[in-house]
Amino acid sequence: MAAAVVDASSGMLLGKAGSGLNLEVAAAGNTEVVRAKIKTMRALGLAGGIDDILITLDQQYHIITLVKAKEGLFIYTVLDKTKANLAMARYKATEVQAGLSI
């Protein structure tokens, strides 16, 4: 349905494709999700980083994939739950983040 590249330090949308929701609002809101998860991991003393965060809604999948090569960036993907293959979507999001050049 839609995808975006987001700067997690500012919540700013750097690029987008697709439609169906306000990606500027989604970028800012999901920045808070990423920040909260990082804060929680630190509080728990968990080592390592986040590969992705999956949010499952009634009709959609929302995937937040952190960009390994550029700390502070993430790819936000929104999929129609009835049409999407979640495993393939996660695989492709990981593949895209690995090849992303900023």
Side-chain angles (χ1 to χ4, degrees):
M1 293 177 58
V5 177
V6 181
D7 177 1
S9 61
S10 67
M12 189 168 92
L13 185 66
L14 302 177
K16 65 180 181 176
S19 62
L21 70 155
N22 185 327
L23 286 171
E24 287 83 8
V25 172
N30 284 296
T31 294
E32 294 304 317
V33 171
V34 171
R35 289 178 185 166
K37 189 60 192 171
I38 291 170
K39 181 179 177 182
T40 302
M41 287 176 64
R42 286 186 185 137
L44 293 171
L46 298 176
I50 300 168
D51 288 331
D52 61 31
I53 299 169
L54 171 63
I55 301 168
T56 305
L57 304 178
D58 288 343
Q59 298 177 18
Q60 298 172 347
Y61 293 124
H62 292 221
I63 305 170
I64 301 167
T65 307
L66 277 72
V67 177
K68 304 280 186 217
K70 182 72 174 161
E71 186 175 336
L73 292 184
F74 65 88
I75 299 170
Y76 173 62
T77 310
V78 180
L79 305 165
D80 182 326
K81 200 173 180 180
T82 62
K83 298 176 184 175
N85 178 322
L86 183 56
M88 183 58 73
R90 291 182 70 215
Y91 174 79
K92 285 293 189 183
T94 301
E95 189 177 71
V96 167
Q97 72 81 22
L100 190 66
S101 61
I102 304 288

